Amino acid sequence: MALSTVGHREIRVGTRGSLLARRQTEWVVGRLEQLSPQQRFRLVVVETHGDRVADLPLTALGGQGVFVKELERALEQGEIDLAVHSLKDMTTALPPGLELAAVPKRVDPRDVFISSRHRSLQGVPLHGRIGTGSLRRVAQLKHWRPDLELVPIRGNLDTRLRKMDSLGLDGLVLAWAGLERLGWADRVAEIVSPDVILPAVGQGALGLEIRADDEDLRRLLQPLNDPDTLAAVTAERAFLARLQGGCHAPVGALGQVAAGRLRLEGMVADPEGTKLWRQRLEGPASQAKELGTRLAEALLQQGAGRILAQLEPAAGAAVEKVWAAGAVGRRSAAPGTVYLVGAGPGDPGLLTLRAKELLERADVVVYDRLAHPGFLEWAPARAEKIYVGKESSHHSLPQDQINRLLAEKAAQGLQVVRLKGGDPFVFGRGGEEAEFLRQRGIPVEVVPGVTSAVAVPAYAGIPVTQRGVATSVAILTGHEDPTKERPGVDWARVAQGADTLVLLMGVENLPQIAAALVRHGRPPETPVALIRWGTTPRQETLTGTLADIAQKAKEACFGPPAVIVVGSVVQWRDKIGWFEKKPLFGRRIVITRSRQQASALRRRLEEAGAWVWEFPTIRTEPLLDNPALEQAMARLAEYAWVVFTSANGVEFTWQALVRKGLDARAFGQAKLAAIGPATAEALAQHGLKADLVPDTYQAEALAAALLQAMGDPAGTDGAGGAGGKRVLVARAAEAREALVAALEAAGVRVDAVAVYRTVPAQAGPGGGTGEEGAAGDDAADASTGPAAATGDGRPPGLVTGRQLRSLLQAHQVDAVTFTSSSTARNFLASLGGAEAARPLLEGVALACIGPITARTLQDEGFAPAVIARDYTVAGLVEALEHWATGGGAAGKRSPAP
């Protein structure tokens, strides 16, 4: 039903000038226009003090109200009729003559974590750097994770996102509401639980403020008022008002209304988070203001009042000092250095330590086509990555522009890594770049790389020199046509000038090169090898002689990038070839493990010669609101045994200890059991030794070993009998009950505490997995806990669902590995279910970490081709090697892309 207009006057709606403020004001006006189509509205942008000074903390500007005072002054002076505010910016006491006329329905009030490095706050490593402009967030984050470094950061959302990269932060904590209103929800890595960070008073809500005597406008706004939201924010604002907590006080509150009942939770902390008071009340929504006041009184009685009294006088200066200390990232006027870095021939293991060190602290990385994209993962997330790749027939950026680009970036005081395939001075035009930069006063450092001229033949089993056969080697470019009128290469001298010739970038001119060498004296029967994509699992080698190699290359469609080796040393390939004889060489294998825990499996597969793609199907999330874990931590030393069924269980339990200010001593005399070697290694990483690891890495075997240890007087426990002993099992929420059931059947008192849960990879942020026989795959010799992936884009080998489907349809996958039942189930689900996956997986070997995972696939109608006997990553890789070398080919193999 349309509303009547407010007379015939135009309603002037005041807003701040930020994109977010305008967007939410436009939303309000749009709703009013729907309700009253005849009414005229006009937006009036009012610049506030908070907007004018964006490089200081709010405490230095006067705190709460810095974004509303000018709007309220415009209301009072009749310059606008309606002011639209973010309610959290409004003071609890409004100026005389103004009133809060309506509060529209609130959007999600929670905070969110944004990061290009990590998928969750929990996954940020020790001493990680988090940006925020709120003392409330700082205090709660410090209380939850005392190790974190909190960096003050202000500005609109665009500015904060840029600062995250420029300051090299691990992430930002912001309000979800602003991102949602701007349509930027896809940038969120994690919605932070209010159990970790309680929102600001009024966060997520809008406040529509008018002059108190404007009856017509009040009636016009009433349909926008949401009673439940109004009750919730009324309680929150009453809570803040009673505390008299100004801008310097870390105060948070969240009211939620359901079925006429209001639940209100409030928090007060000191700025360092060392002391934090938190409590909740519940009552009728109609008594919202009274509930807010009562909750504040309860916290004041607990001692929060002392903190609030101490904070205000000194907090402003203290915060300004912190802000100044956090103002990092400024560039000096002096130019930065350009590092001409050789990236090697392709195998990431051939990158030098110096090159890796420079990548890890680069501001800018300028890289070529032949530089392995995985190297970009080592560069900071804030670093600018610029592709200037060159192919034989196409240059994405001409050389003169590359030169100017390097100089421009360095002139800004940035440290620039120019990453070049192979060695920068071996046909890499590094000399030209160095000369150009030095002429302009730009410092240059050259970091030699392993040249493909030597490494690629070596990976093909060809030594470029061999005693008694070849005592000299010449490296030359094959890029130019030797038949042109005045070639730069003296082919007459080259043909006879060295025992071994290595030509780079010469495949397209191969017929002319072979003819020129024969014409100038090389015998036609001289052995020749062509090696494409050398040092990688895609490596292909074609051999022949000067007389027939060009024709063989044509028939095989053998194109660049390739190295040409000419000379008798080529014959040694049959004697000492090694790389292409690796057990999994060239096999294309998909890993379904979580991104964080894929590294151990991927590394072993690649060492065996496989070409690996990662398609994570699971993640883990810590269970933060976890009273059972809190209780277990409080009496940890009372347990006879503490049992870990996964590496993740170790990591998340340890993080819970850290949050409580505890360390390894909290375990007291309790003995520790681990389901497998990876879990034992995870314990060792924290200085804890596993007292028991079963021979078989399954829940059933662990239960049997524990009962034997507890029941044998001469056994590990030595106490004579399992009955009545108390055992803590730290596990995944989805863990099988076999372990707990077996222990309880023997009379053991078991506290089974879920410390994390496994979720589908696409369902939300998280980390790794569990173990064979429990909830995931720790017995698969997992890496020990959530570790952050770095880099600014999709890591090499990490594929999307669409890309995976394309690979399967093109028969480009030889095997898929499964390290838990959850990886198998979620993998099939990602392909549309078992029936939809069946034709895609025809001819693909399904490899399982153990029989439980295999049974999951069998239940879906699939027959695993590989089942590891030893339920570890090493055992899975060994089983795959046996499958590959035993002739069990998985379908027709086409060349790897």
Side-chain angles (χ1 to χ4, degrees), residues 116-190:
S116 57
R117 299 182 178 188
H118 314 291
R119 297 188 182 277
S120 68
L121 268 171
Q122 183 80 37
V124 174
L126 287 174
H127 312 298
R129 303 176 72 231
I130 304 298
T132 178
S134 160
L135 278 178
R136 168 187 58 84
R137 295 181 181 123
V138 167
Q140 293 181 90
L141 284 170
K142 278 288 189 182
H143 184 76
W144 179 63
R145 285 276 305 270
D147 63 289
L148 292 176
E149 177 186 350
L150 285 308
V151 179
I153 187 169
R154 265 203 64 211
N156 59 37
L157 288 173
D158 267 338
T159 300
R160 296 191 193 197
L161 291 170
R162 287 196 299 272
K163 286 182 178 179
M164 177 177 71
D165 290 335
S166 65
L167 299 180
L169 303 179
D170 288 283
L172 299 175
V173 177
L174 305 171
W176 166 265
L179 291 161
E180 184 178 37
R181 286 179 175 130
L182 290 173
W184 292 353
D186 59 336
R187 306 189 183 198
V188 172
E190 177 190 36

Side-chain angles (χ1 to χ4, degrees), residues 806-875:
S806 297
L807 289 169
L808 290 168
Q809 290 172 338
H811 305 291
Q812 290 289 314
V813 176
D814 294 320
V816 181
T817 66
F818 300 102
T819 51
S820 69
S821 293
S822 55
T823 61
R825 285 190 294 266
N826 293 340
F827 178 80
L828 295 177
S830 71
L831 294 177
E835 291 308 312
R838 209 172 306 283
L840 292 172
L841 295 176
E842 186 177 351
V844 177
L846 305 183
C848 299
I849 193 74
I852 294 173
T853 304
R855 194 177 309 130
T856 300
L857 286 171
Q858 290 163 352
D859 290 344
E860 296 290 346
F862 293 89
V866 177
I867 303 176
R869 294 179 181 177
D870 186 6
Y871 314 149
T872 65
V873 160

